[in-house]
Amino acid sequence: ALLGQSQRAVEAGNVDEAIAYVERALRMNGQDVELWLRLAELQLLAARPANAEQLEQRAALDELHAREV
């Protein structure tokens, strides 16, 4: 539901609102690699490439950790 709201916000041109929805979803499920990657994409849309890179690295580390468990 939150990802759908995020997508609708992007379509309406509200990237910061879309980011807030994904961040909310991450508070509920912080281990979801797809959410971290979506947040990185949104940061790129918001012209924040440094933030996007950090989030992509976080997603990669979470994915590696999930494979170890």
Side-chain angles (χ1 to χ4, degrees):
L2 289 171
L3 283 179
Q5 290 175 303
S6 175
Q7 183 59 37
R8 286 188 290 280
V10 168
E11 291 167 1
N14 298 321
V15 178
D16 287 332
E17 182 180 334
I19 289 170
Y21 283 122
V22 175
E23 288 174 339
R24 186 172 170 198
L26 280 165
R27 283 193 294 275
M28 291 185 266
N29 187 7
Q31 300 303 313
D32 188 326
V33 173
E34 295 300 319
L35 290 174
W36 287 108
L37 292 174
R38 180 63 180 148
L39 187 55
E41 290 173 359
L42 292 171
Q43 291 290 346
L44 283 174
L45 280 176
R48 298 178 193 129
N51 291 357
E53 184 178 356
Q54 290 175 345
L55 293 165
E56 289 172 345
Q57 290 172 355
R58 165 73 190 259
L61 290 174
D62 283 354
E63 187 172 0
L64 284 174
H65 178 70
R67 289 182 184 179
E68 292 174 0
V69 176

